[in-house]
């Protein structure tokens, strides 16, 4: 609608330089430049390389988004930017750019939480969020279960990974199997050919004892080590590694734990909706298993399309637009980039 807030969102917390423009819950532009290929040979994101790439891509992405949306920057109502959590140097580039843009245009600035933005983006695809939902956010940098009553104000952490993030586990196991970085999509593809033999890999933090203290927490480092040991033993015996079967069994272990705990969190909090976001939400098995398990308890699953699940500027704009719509206070001009911003802080 014409009176819905028109907002630019800037995302630079990791390796994607994203600039999105939304009007209310309508996506107008989503320009993204990724430095992922520059990190591939290191097997993980190199912070300094990411920061430099953001610096180079920022102005071209702002120009591309404005052209794609056919919107003059002067006409926007506010600028939103990821203020944290993320890589410190990478966040700084986005925050500095957003401040410069907001100041020069005379518009309010909203420094927002990256995790809340991953939840808010679902509004662009499925409309307004229900009053209460559980969000499962799984990417290369985070794995969290959140209780969201109001994405602009009340986000409560239920649990998180105590070691590796889910996407990080996908990336490390892919490396072990000789698959390229980032490993998630390659494991997903390889797993489609697997399933001939099922390997019983460990499900972290699911024993009765662990559940007492870590009911909604995750741990993937034991799983990664178990896969490494299994592959090593095979290689030492001079036997070929059945990549597809290992990929399928590993993926099943991750998706089993994620969906089991997410559905348990919905039941424990009375949430009728589960929102899944982050790069790992693109995983085909995770989507199927989540639907299956949630349906048994009349819980509805909302997963945005893969391009909106991975890091992008539209998610930041979506949250920004909701903040403006609800009349929330903008950030101060001395807004810092906060690499370890707590999930309970929606706007810095
Ligand atoms: O959200 P994202 O783009 O960036 C952050 O890390 O914040 O997520 C990237 C992560 C990578 O670890 C990648 O391997 C994983 O998401 N990923 C997947 C799939 N597509 C991307 N993991 C499993 N299955 C996929 N299909
Ligand atoms: Zn993310």
């Amino acid at each position: 609608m014409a009176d819905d807030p028109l907002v630019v969102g800037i995302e630079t917390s990791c390796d994607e330089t994203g600039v999105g423009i939304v009007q209310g819950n309508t996506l107008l532009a989503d320009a993204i430049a990724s430095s992922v290929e520059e990190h591939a040979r290191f097997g993980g994101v190199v912070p300094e390389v990411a920061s430099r790439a953001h610096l180079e891509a920022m102005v071209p992405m702002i120009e591309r988004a404005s052209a794609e949306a056919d919107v003059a920057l002067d006409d926007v109502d506010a600028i939103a930017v990821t203020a944290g959590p993320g890589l410190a140097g990478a966040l700084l580039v986005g925050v500095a750019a957003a401040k410069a843009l907001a100041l020069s245009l005379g518009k309010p600035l909203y420094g927002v939480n990256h995790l809340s933005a991953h939840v808010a983006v679902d509004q662009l695809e499925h409309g307004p969020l229900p009053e209460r939902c559980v969000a499962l956010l799984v990417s290369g940098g985070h794995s969290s279960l959140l209780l969201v009553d109001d994405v602009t104000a009340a986000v409560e952490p239920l649990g998180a990974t105590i070691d590796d993030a889910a996407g990080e586990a996908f990336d490390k196991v892919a490396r072990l199997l000789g698959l390229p970085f980032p490993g998630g999509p390659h494991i997903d593809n390889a797993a489609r050919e697997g399933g001939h033999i099922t390997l019983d890999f460990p499900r972290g933090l699911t024993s009765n004892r662990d559940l007492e203290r870590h009911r909604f927490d995750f741990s993937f480092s034991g799983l990664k080590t178990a896969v490494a040991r299994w592959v090593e033993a095979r290689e030492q015996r001079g036997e070929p590694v059945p990549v597809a079967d290992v990929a399928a069994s590993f993926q099943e272990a991750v998706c089993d734990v994620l969906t089991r705990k997410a559905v348990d969190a919905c039941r424990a909090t009375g949430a009728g909706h589960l929102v899944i976001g982050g790069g790992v939400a693109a995983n085909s098995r995770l989507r199927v298993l989540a639907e299956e398990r949630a349906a048994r308890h009349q819980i509805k699953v909302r997963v945005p399309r893969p391009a909106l699940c991975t890091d992008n500027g539209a998610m930041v704009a979506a949250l920004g637009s909701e903040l403006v719509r609800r009349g929330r206070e903008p950030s101060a001009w001395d807004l810092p980039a906060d690499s370890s911003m707590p999930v309970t802080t929606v706007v810095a």
Side-chain angles (χ1 to χ4, degrees):
M1 282 196 311
D3 51 357
D4 279 338
L6 183 62
V7 176
V8 174
I10 296 179
E11 156 62 35
T12 62
S13 69
C14 192
D15 58 344
E16 262 97 31
T17 314
V19 179
I21 302 181
V22 308
Q23 180 144 38
N25 287 333
T26 307
L27 175 63
L28 301 181
D30 190 15
I32 295 180
S34 176
S35 59
V36 68
E37 278 169 18
E38 294 176 56
H39 309 288
R41 69 194 168 99
F42 303 105
V45 176
V46 183
E48 291 78 3
V49 174
S51 309
R52 201 189 51 226
H54 287 311
L55 213 48
E56 286 165 3
M58 183 54 68
V59 172
M61 288 310 109
I62 293 173
E63 285 171 349
R64 190 192 293 175
S66 151
E68 211 178 285
D70 197 16
V71 159
L73 292 174
D74 258 334
D75 293 337
V76 305
D77 296 303
I79 310 293
V81 61
T82 299
L87 302 171
L91 288 166
L92 269 176
V93 179
V95 169
K99 281 181 185 173
L101 199 59
L103 256 177
S104 63
L105 296 168
K107 309 287 179 183
L109 170 73
Y110 289 84
V112 305
N113 191 302
H114 180 81
L115 299 182
S116 306
H118 265 305
V119 182
V121 74
D122 190 57
Q123 300 205 141
L124 301 180
E125 186 123 327
H126 299 115
L129 284 165
E131 280 224 337
R132 164 161 283 209
C133 62
V134 164
L136 170 68
L137 298 183
V138 273
S139 75
H142 32 80
S143 302
S144 319
L145 271 173
L146 311 174
L147 178 62
V148 184
D149 282 331
D150 170 356
V151 74
T152 63
V155 177
E156 184 193 322
L158 297 171
T161 179
I162 61 165
D163 42 56
D164 294 348
E168 200 179 345
F170 269 95
D171 296 338
K172 287 177 177 170
V173 166
R175 198 171 182 177
L176 274 171
L177 295 175
L179 300 171
F181 175 83
H186 298 282
I187 298 235
D188 199 347
N189 279 334
R192 286 180 226 275
E193 314 293 321
H196 305 291
I197 44 171
T198 305
L199 308 165
D200 192 16
F201 289 134
R203 270 67 169 158
L205 301 183
T206 55
S207 70
N208 285 340
R209 218 171 121 228
D210 284 333
L211 287 174
E212 278 171 26
R213 279 190 56 218
H214 293 290
R215 182 168 172 191
F216 301 127
D217 290 326
F218 304 109
S219 166
F220 297 109
S221 89
L223 168 61
K224 174 197 66 193
T225 307
V227 176
R229 294 235 171 90
W230 195 91
V231 169
E232 265 165 36
R234 198 75 189 197
E235 283 168 344
Q236 274 165 9
R237 292 199 298 271
E239 295 168 10
V241 175
V243 170
D245 291 323
V246 176
S249 300
F250 160 77
Q251 177 173 277
E252 194 62 26
V254 175
C255 297
D256 179 22
V257 179
L258 290 177
T259 55
R260 222 193 291 178
K261 294 206 176 204
V263 169
D264 184 29
C266 289
R267 298 184 70 203
T269 57
H273 290 82
L274 171 66
V275 178
I276 310 183
V280 181
N283 186 269
S284 57
R285 181 64 185 147
L286 180 65
R287 287 172 172 243
V288 169
L289 204 55
E291 284 283 355
E292 241 174 64
R293 289 186 169 169
R296 273 185 229 149
H297 302 282
Q298 288 75 50
I299 296 161
K300 294 210 167 59
V301 179
R302 294 174 50 137
V303 196
R305 60 181 176 273
L308 294 180
C309 283
T310 50
D311 290 351
N312 62 77
M315 67 192 219
V316 181
L319 178 55
S321 180
E322 191 64 31
L323 288 162
V324 175
R325 200 176 66 80
R326 294 189 186 219
R328 301 270 190 259
E329 275 294 298
S331 305
W333 290 113
D334 62 354
L335 165 76
D338 181 357
S339 62
S340 51
M341 190 176 193
V343 67
T344 44
T345 305
V346 177
V347 189

